[in-house]
Amino acid sequence: MQPQQTGTYRSVEQLLRDARARLQRLTPGQAACAQAEGALLVDLRSELQRRVQGEIPGSLVLERNVLEWRLDPQSGSRIEEAADHSLRVVLVCPQGYTSSLAAAGLHDLGLHLATDVIGGFEAWAEAGLPVVPGPTMTGSYVAAVSSRIILDPTGSRLLVEGRPVALTPLEFRLVSELLRSNGRVVTRDELRSSIGDWSGSRSRSVDLHMHRIRRKLEPCAAGLLTTERGVGFRFRARPAPEPA
């Protein structure tokens, strides 16, 4: 005979409502802005979903069952970015349901800036925001640029749609730094700091090197390397739109 259960229970719909009441949820556009400002965008979708639907450039791919262990600043299995409880996390799932429940769980760990994307990945794609082919290995960041570009460290060169593009050692270091930024704008000062000074680095030689790299990427990929006026440079997932 089963023991009689007492107490009240909440439905999953109520759990979802309670979870979302704790969050400042973001539209896809707001999530993209947050990511550009340094927020950690985490994709919780399955490998099959990412393979079929694509992935968000610069996002971190994590399985739902390890999320808390990877993002809890007190966990021995945390990722490097989870240094303290001020980490700003934006979760993405297929339609924005699982991500809401998961974000509320992160709040319980003290990550009070955690939130999710309204409508999930489907809304992100429908908004025309950047999507690249998947899948990326779990625990890794999605490449910020098209798979048309592959960096070949053994030959200090780029492969653009299979075509080798020779780079000087300095050009190779600059491109490597930009690719590691996952679509974020890298300032001139950051480039100088991360790869070290070189002759003329206090002048406009950074711009001259970028100009030469962009010429080597023509005609099919030059638009992916953009100059952000007054700030620095970035590799985009897709070419920047032409000015109106």
Side-chain angles (χ1 to χ4, degrees):
M1 181 176 179
Q2 294 291 333
Q4 185 176 1
Q5 294 180 334
T6 60
T8 58
Y9 302 93
R10 291 181 295 170
S11 66
V12 67
E13 288 81 6
Q14 184 61 55
L15 284 174
L16 184 63
R17 287 194 294 269
D18 292 346
R20 287 176 172 173
R22 305 168 63 185
L23 309 176
Q24 293 185 354
R25 306 185 73 211
L26 304 179
T27 65
Q30 290 170 333
C33 290
Q35 184 189 28
E37 293 168 357
L40 179 65
L41 198 152
V42 178
D43 193 339
L44 301 175
R45 292 175 302 139
S46 70
E47 179 179 341
L48 177 59
Q49 289 168 327
R50 291 182 285 108
R51 183 186 301 276
V52 172
Q53 299 174 326
E55 298 174 328
I56 298 173
S59 63
L60 174 63
V61 176
L62 288 178
E63 298 285 353
R64 174 64 189 91
N65 64 329
V66 301
L67 179 69
E68 287 83 358
W69 278 265
R70 297 294 182 265
L71 298 186
D72 179 8
Q74 302 182 81
S75 169
S77 301
R78 69 175 178 85
I79 61 174
E80 182 179 356
E81 291 83 351
D84 55 51
H85 290 89
S86 65
L87 178 66
R88 189 180 184 190
V89 183
V90 181
L91 304 180
V92 181
C93 72
Q95 296 180 326
Y97 294 93
T98 298
S99 57
S100 292
L101 296 175
L106 294 181
H107 276 236
D108 292 336
L109 292 175
L111 296 167
H112 298 299
L113 297 180
T115 187
D116 73 327
V117 178
I118 299 170
F121 179 85
E122 292 183 10
W124 176 284
E126 289 174 1
L129 293 167
V131 174
V132 294
T136 297
M137 181 183 300
T138 300
S140 300
Y141 283 93
V142 177
V145 296
S146 167
S147 58
R148 291 183 298 165
I149 294 182
I150 299 174
L151 196 62
D152 175 17
T154 62
S156 294
R157 63 179 184 173
L158 284 177
L159 296 176
V160 180
E161 295 186 339
R163 177 177 62 89
V165 176
L167 300 174
T168 68
L170 180 56
E171 290 170 348
F172 183 82
R173 290 161 64 193
L174 289 169
V175 171
S176 298
E177 186 65 25
L178 288 171
L179 289 176
R180 280 196 297 268
S181 73
N182 283 323
R184 180 180 62 83
V185 177
V186 182
T187 68
R188 292 170 177 83
D189 286 341
E190 286 178 312
L191 288 171
R192 294 175 184 130
S193 175
S194 62
I195 69 175
D197 283 350
W198 64 88
S199 177
S201 66
R202 297 300 177 186
S203 68
R204 290 183 56 82
S205 65
V206 179
D207 299 71
L208 294 176
H209 284 294
M210 290 300 177
H211 176 69
R212 291 168 183 160
I213 293 169
R214 191 176 290 113
R215 289 186 62 182
K216 291 182 178 182
L217 294 176
E218 289 180 340
C220 47
L224 298 177
L225 175 56
T226 62
T227 301
E228 305 299 324
R229 188 176 299 276
V231 183
F233 308 90
R234 82 162 101 192
F235 258 120
R236 295 177 175 269
R238 57 180 64 173
E242 294 291 335

